Amino acid sequence: ICSSDSECQNGAYKISESMESSTVVNFACEPQRTTFSFDIYRVEEDTETDTESTTKVMSGSGICLYVRREIRSLSSDDLDAFLDASHALWEYDDEKGQSKFGLDFHTNSYLLKFHQFNAAQRDSDHVHDGNGFLLQHVKFTNIFEKSIQSVDSSVNIPYWDFTIDSALGNNKP
């Protein structure tokens, strides 16, 4: 897989005879900014001669996107990466975090103050009252996500599908 700036990374998809399993190829990219090209080759082994033949079967291009997944569907590695990146928001102060991870890094204290400033005013709760509810929470989530992505660009915020719990009869708050 090669990005538009010609940095290439190799990986392999190995499809079984039944075509039910494969190996995922992961690489770091910047969503909606990184484009890449790929070539897919078929490698066939000849056990009698102990040789391999390689045939190019497909070429293509794509763009990097984050895909938000339900938290219970994350692999243990993906969940660990998310939690480790989130933990960094508690581990570093703003100055050290931004020095190490960049200007998108914000601590949990920053996020808490952001929420309190916009939600704790007695005369006007811009986060929970009225039309601002959805947009303010989207903004807050985006700031949190950019912060954890400054620590580890491979992570994003998973969602929680509460209807799964409801369908299982887990309706307790």
Side-chain angles (χ1 to χ4, degrees):
I1 297 175
C2 299
S3 64
S4 56
D5 60 6
S6 298
E7 270 192 49
C8 295
Q9 299 181 28
N10 294 320
Y13 283 99
K14 183 175 182 180
I15 301 174
S16 71
E17 297 283 330
S18 65
M19 307 248 332
E20 292 179 7
S21 65
S22 63
T23 302
V24 176
V25 178
N26 289 313
F27 63 98
C29 60
E30 191 167 338
Q32 299 180 358
R33 293 199 178 119
T34 302
T35 57
F36 58 91
S37 59
F38 61 88
D39 296 316
I40 298 177
Y41 295 87
R42 177 181 293 124
V43 178
E44 296 183 54
E45 298 177 24
D46 186 339
T47 55
E48 290 180 18
T49 61
D50 199 27
T51 60
E52 287 183 350
S53 65
T54 304
T55 307
K56 187 176 186 178
V57 293
M58 185 177 160
S59 293
S61 62
I63 186 166
C64 178
L65 298 173
Y66 283 114
V67 176
R68 207 172 294 290
R69 294 175 286 162
E70 208 281 331
I71 194 161
R72 288 167 280 210
S73 73
L74 295 177
S75 69
S76 59
D77 289 343
D78 290 339
L79 182 59
D80 287 346
F82 168 70
L83 294 173
D84 289 345
S86 298
H87 182 262
L89 278 56
W90 278 261
E91 187 175 349
Y92 297 93
D93 63 28
D94 279 324
E95 187 177 334
K96 288 180 184 174
Q98 289 185 354
S99 173
K100 183 170 183 165
F101 303 114
L103 296 178
D104 284 334
F105 179 88
H106 295 290
T107 66
N108 70 310
S109 296
Y110 174 91
L111 296 170
L112 181 62
K113 288 175 187 173
F114 174 87
H115 187 268
Q116 287 175 335
F117 176 79
N118 288 291
Q121 298 177 35
R122 289 179 187 216
D123 62 337
S124 181
D125 179 346
H126 298 286
V127 176
H128 301 109
D129 292 341
N131 295 330
F133 181 84
L134 182 60
L135 296 177
Q136 288 296 323
H137 282 86
V138 168
K139 180 179 179 180
F140 184 73
T141 301
N142 286 341
I143 292 170
F144 174 63
E145 186 165 59
K146 293 287 279 179
S147 294
I148 63 172
Q149 288 172 343
S150 71
V151 176
D152 181 346
S153 64
S154 74
V155 301
N156 66 338
I157 299 173
Y159 65 90
W160 169 52
D161 183 353
F162 62 89
T163 64
I164 294 171
D165 296 308
S166 180
L168 296 172
N170 301 331
N171 297 325
K172 296 179 183 177

